[in-house]
């Protein structure tokens, strides 16, 4: 009998799972994908801004990881991969722009001079003297990044050097992210017996990269989404799945219109809070683990400024934590957590300068509570504060990503193992909360999910 699969969620995780199922199960298998959104792709979303395609969710991928380049090649899109221009970002801290420190591990320095100008003299001395302080480390420990770095190097290193990077990746902070997920190589170096944090950072620092660290897709992520949809040969049902129940022949999915759908096996590729609601009855252990994964929201303002607007020749600005409250210190606040100067980062497109500003971090409610007009006003003020640019945009787009960014808190790996252990063999999960938040890790989790269903079917 031909296999019938259901995939719930049409972000990159669901689409890759569907595509992998098609490749493995052949042209006769029935693959139905559920997603209520107006288009597929989830956080991969490309809009036209200033006449140019612009990603308003994810815009890049780590190019040294193999998953995305391999997938592009498989789909016949290798020629669409582009690299970043190589210009570096800046850090905004204490009301001014700083060069991004070189030779750090996610902002953690191997020597004090890396942070000269960014932190005060007392912090520099503390970093210099750190190797002489005894370090107590339990192999396998997974503290929040802020706990380790704050204790060894001080709060300024956390707020001004580490937080800006983690806010960019997770919309979180060093306080909400565990060391083992954020910087696995550092955890390994500490487990191996490094005598100080300085020694561990030196041990874990990768050799300098030649070529571009980040890749992107010419035409935006929509190019990948369209190819996956086409080549996965899915039937898209534009509804929300409300229930997942056991049926005598596999699974029964109930959607928000009350319709029921049968599947031999199911991939659930929805964010963790949704997963918890869907599998409460059929996989309670999984649901309980999924409930413990916190999420953050972020709002993105995409602007097209007239060509020639004097923005700096950098890829963007990462903002130290606390800058949004600078008014309390009688300074002008910068509300964005990050600014990407897209046309500087990826190269000129048309006669516009494309800029993205993102708002909202884990623990605040900005992405939900701020209105579009308010966000656009902040974006204008932030460009003036950071660069002295007061130019009116020629086009704009506001995009919100609610609960879209899972927080990889301390103990995340064990939590995910528990989550997966509670699943029956014909129910698989894929998504950004499992093996890493980035697109490459989503591709990997989706590949794993599809393979596990195919294997479980063969075994029956
Ligand atoms: C603003 C932002 C910028 C980012 N930038 C980058 C970047 O530059 N590089 C990078 O590598 N990563 C980046 N990431 C991370 C990465 O983009 C995401 O982790 C990834 O795209 C998530 O894909 P997903 O398919 O797991 O989830 P999603 O894209 O969230 O897709 C889940 C889908 O499930 C659907 N859904 C939910 N519930 C149901 C239900 N009950 N029934 C049916 N459908 C349902 C939703 O409508 C949605 O379409 C970024 C993330 C954000 C938010």
């Amino acid at each position: 009998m031909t296999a019938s699969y259901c995939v719930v969620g049409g972000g990159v995780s669901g689409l890759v799972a569907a595509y992998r199922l098609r490749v493995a199960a052949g042209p006769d298998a029935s693959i139905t994908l559920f997603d209520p959104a107006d288009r597929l792709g989830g956080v991969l979303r490309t809009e036209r801004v200033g006449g140019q395609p612009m990603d308003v969710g994810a815009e890049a991928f780590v190019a040294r990881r193999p998953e995305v380049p391999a997938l592009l090649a498989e789909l016949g899109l290798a020629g669409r991969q582009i690299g970043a221009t190589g210009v570096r970002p800046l850090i905004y801290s204490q009301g001014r722009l700083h060069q991004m420190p070189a030779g750090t591990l996610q902002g953690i320095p191997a020597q004090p001079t890396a942070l000269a100008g960014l932190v005060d003299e007392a912090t520099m001395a503390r970093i210099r003297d750190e190797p002489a302080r005894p370090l107590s480390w339990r192999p396998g420990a997974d503290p929040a990044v802020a706990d380790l770095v704050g204790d060894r190097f001080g709060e300024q290193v956390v707020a001004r050097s580490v937080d800006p990077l983690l806010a960019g990746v997770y919309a979180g902070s060093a306080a909400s992210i565990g060391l083992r997920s954020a910087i696995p190589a550092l955890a390994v170096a500490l487990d191996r017996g490094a005598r100080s944090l300085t020694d561990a950072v030196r041990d874990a620092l990768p050799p300098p990269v030649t070529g571009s660290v980040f890749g992107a897709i010419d035409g935006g992520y929509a190019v990948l989404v369209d190819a996956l949809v086409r080549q996965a040969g899915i039937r898209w049902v534009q509804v929300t799945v409300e229930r997942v129940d056991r049926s005598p022949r596999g699974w029964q999915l109930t959607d928000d219109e009350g319709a029921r759908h049968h599947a031999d096996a199911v991939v659930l590729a929805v964010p963790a809070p949704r997963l918890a609601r869907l599998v409460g009855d059929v996989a309670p252990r999984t649901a309980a683990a999924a409930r413990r994964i916190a999420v953050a929201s972020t709002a993105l303002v995409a602007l097209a400024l007239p060509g020639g607007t004097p923005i700096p020749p950098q890829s963007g600005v990462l903002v130290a934590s606390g800058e949004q409250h600078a008014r309390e210190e009688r300074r002008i606040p910068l509300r964005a957590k990050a600014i990407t100067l897209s046309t500087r980062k990826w190269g000129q497109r048309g006669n516009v300068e494309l800029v993205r500003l993102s708002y909202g971090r884990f623990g605040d409610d900005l992405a939900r509570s701020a209105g579009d007009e308010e966000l656009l006003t902040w974006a204008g003020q932030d460009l003036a504060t950071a660069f002295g640019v007061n130019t009116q945009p020629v086009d704009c787009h506001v995009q919100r990503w609610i609960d879209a960014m899972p927080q990889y808190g301390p103990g995340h790996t064990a939590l995910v193992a528990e989550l997966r252990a509670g699943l029956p063999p014909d129910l698989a999960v894929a998504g950004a909360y499992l093996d890493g938040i980035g697109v490459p890790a989503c591709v990997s989790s989706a590949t794993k999910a599809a393979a596990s269903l195919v294997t479980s079917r063969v075994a029956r």
Side-chain angles (χ1 to χ4, degrees), residues 7-15 34-37 39-44 56-62 168-169 214 221 237 239-242 269-271 274 278 296 298 300 337 345 356 358 401 403-406 430-433 436-442 445:
V7 177
V8 184
V12 65
S13 303
L15 290 173
F34 301 87
D35 197 311
R39 66 178 100 147
L40 293 173
V43 178
L44 304 192
V56 295
E59 53 143 18
F61 52 86
V62 175
V169 177
F214 294 109
Y221 262 123
V237 184
V239 294
T240 300
V241 170
E242 298 283 5
V270 297
R274 290 294 192 128
L278 283 177
T298 194
L300 208 125
K337 72 175 171 64
K345 185 169 178 180
R356 295 165 32 131
S358 44
W401 298 111
D403 293 346
M405 301 183 98
Y433 59 91
I437 195 172
V439 172
C442 291
S445 81

Side-chain angles (χ1 to χ4, degrees), residues 372-398:
D372 286 8
E373 285 305 318
E374 199 171 8
L375 287 166
L376 286 164
T377 304
W378 290 347
Q381 289 169 350
D382 285 350
L383 290 180
T385 305
F387 310 131
V389 162
N390 286 295
T391 316
Q392 283 301 310
V394 294
D395 197 6
C396 64
H397 178 89
V398 175

Side-chain angles (χ1 to χ4, degrees), residues 94 322 325-331:
Q94 299 297 291
H325 306 301
R327 188 160 284 139
E328 292 153 22
E329 294 167 32
R330 294 171 189 272
R331 289 190 286 105

Side-chain angles (χ1 to χ4, degrees), residues 5 21 24 425-426 447-460:
Y5 295 104
L21 286 169
D426 49 358
T447 301
K448 211 186 278 183
S452 77
L453 293 192
V454 172
T455 311
S456 90
R457 198 176 151 74
V458 170
R460 267 187 288 146

